[in-house]
Amino acid sequence: MKSNRSLFELDLLRAMVTVADCGSFTMASARLHSTQSTVSQKVRRLEDMAGHQLLVRGKGDVRPTDSGETVLAYARRMLTLNDELLDALAGADVAVTVRLGVPEDFAAGRTTQLLAAFNRKHPRVKLEVTTGLSRDLAGNYDHGELDLILIKQRRNSREAVARWPESMRWIDSAKSPAFALDPVPLVAFPPRGLYRDEMIKVVEGMGRRWRISFTSSSLSGIQSAVAGGLGISLLPARAVTAEHAVLTRRQGFPAIDTMDIALLYRPTADPVVQALGRELSRMLDRDRK
């Protein structure tokens, strides 16, 4: 037996995995409830034990080296085994937690069915699903608080594992149309929310005056406001209901083809996270056929 061989400390391995997942020592230290210097020291100790540089510290991010990728793969397995042991001793039945972020219009229907099927295939995986505005989901992902996200974004605005064009529709109330009003009332997401700038640009291009009549960060709030006659809006095609009337080129509204649905997860993500990402990708591929 080689009893004099070094034993890698799980605490050091966890520090490296967290830095790799977050892409930043600062964000990793916050996630680990530690200081940046402490996390840096742990990674340096691990590199000393491994005899290799494991992370490349760039200006904007931190990336694993080839040796770092090898250590990350083993580190995840070792940390998973440690968690499984703790769960077994505690009588728990959850081995991996996957933190998924999706926009509100993806939180039901096919997505829920997919997640249920995925959970049946991986019964020991706990799914934590967060819904919200794409900008908030992207921020949470960048801060290491989510493992996997589906977001809406302006086309090619950031790198993604996969992306699909988002079909958009201009909508008004079917019962109480508002487009003929002057100024045109607009129902919008909060400032910096997607679609808001596009709406204003198009309406101004028509030579029409406009005003923001209703603002909500909730998709259902936007849908209800338009249906009730509070104004027109721009939403994904899947969000149009029977209570809405679709506005077209006949009324002067151009097609909007500048939006994407983007799937993001880290190259170093847990295999279960990557498996869920592939399932979501296949679902969106089917939707486009």
Side-chain angles (χ1 to χ4, degrees):
M1 294 182 63
K2 300 179 181 180
S3 59
N4 61 338
R5 299 185 70 180
S6 298
L7 296 176
F8 287 100
E9 299 177 33
L10 292 179
D11 189 43
L12 306 185
L13 295 174
R14 189 180 300 280
M16 180 187 171
V17 168
T18 306
V19 171
D21 284 349
C22 294
S24 160
F25 279 91
T26 302
M27 289 187 286
S29 62
R31 186 165 167 183
L32 292 169
H33 305 290
S34 182
T35 64
Q36 184 174 339
S37 61
T38 298
V39 175
S40 296
Q41 289 172 10
K42 288 179 179 179
V43 172
R44 281 196 294 271
R45 284 174 58 196
L46 184 61
E47 289 178 325
D48 289 341
M49 292 182 68
H52 296 276
Q53 182 180 5
L54 303 178
L55 296 174
V56 177
R57 299 154 178 83
K59 291 184 178 179
D61 62 354
V62 178
R63 294 174 288 103
T65 62
D66 290 344
S67 297
E69 293 282 6
T70 300
V71 171
L72 278 173
Y74 281 97
R76 293 188 190 282
R77 289 163 57 188
M78 293 167 70
L79 291 168
T80 296
L81 284 172
N82 179 75
D83 291 343
E84 288 178 1
L85 173 57
L86 291 172
D87 290 340
L89 292 174
D93 195 36
V94 175
V96 180
T97 297
V98 177
R99 302 166 303 166
L100 169 66
V102 295
E104 189 178 342
D105 51 317
F106 277 97
R110 291 187 180 183
T111 305
T112 301
Q113 296 170 13
L114 180 149
L115 295 178
F118 185 83
N119 204 231
R120 288 192 293 271
K121 188 184 299 184
H122 303 274
R124 301 189 68 219
V125 173
K126 177 184 177 183
L127 296 172
E128 292 183 358
V129 181
T130 299
T131 61
L133 295 176
S134 290
R135 71 180 189 203
D136 297 330
L137 297 175
N140 291 341
Y141 175 81
D142 290 339
H143 285 86
E145 297 168 9
L146 293 172
D147 304 307
L148 172 70
I149 56 172
L150 270 179
I151 57 172
K152 291 24 170 345
Q153 63 175 17
R154 288 181 175 81
R155 184 154 298 168
N156 300 323
S157 59
R158 67 181 291 167
E159 291 297 321
V161 174
R163 58 169 53 90
W164 301 263
E166 174 76 302
S167 297
M168 305 299 299
R169 298 290 184 272
W170 294 95
I171 59 172
D172 199 348
S173 171
K175 290 185 177 180
S176 304
F179 175 60
L181 299 177
D182 184 29
V184 181
L186 304 181
V187 175
F189 288 102
R192 296 191 302 112
L194 283 176
Y195 321 145
R196 187 180 179 117
D197 291 344
E198 281 74 10
M199 281 197 294
I200 295 172
K201 180 179 178 181
V202 167
V203 172
E204 287 183 345
M206 294 177 175
R208 297 287 304 276
R209 297 189 304 156
W210 59 271
R211 65 184 179 88
I212 300 295
S213 61
F214 185 92
T215 299
S216 175
S217 59
S218 164
L219 172 65
S220 59
I222 298 290
Q223 291 171 310
S224 297
V226 173
L230 285 173
I232 68 170
S233 193
L234 177 66
L235 287 180
R238 77 178 67 81
V240 178
T241 74
E243 298 178 291
H244 299 142
V246 175
L247 302 171
T248 65
R249 290 186 182 277
R250 180 177 300 178
Q251 290 88 15
F253 288 93
I256 301 295
D257 59 358
T258 57
M259 298 295 170
D260 276 347
I261 302 168
L263 173 69
L264 285 78
Y265 59 83
R266 300 170 184 85
T268 57
D270 187 281
V272 174
V273 173
Q274 297 188 39
L276 179 55
R278 289 191 293 270
E279 293 289 341
L280 289 167
S281 182
R282 281 192 284 269
M283 178 189 77
L284 288 165
D285 284 339
R286 290 193 296 270
D287 287 347
R288 294 301 176 277
K289 293 180 180 178

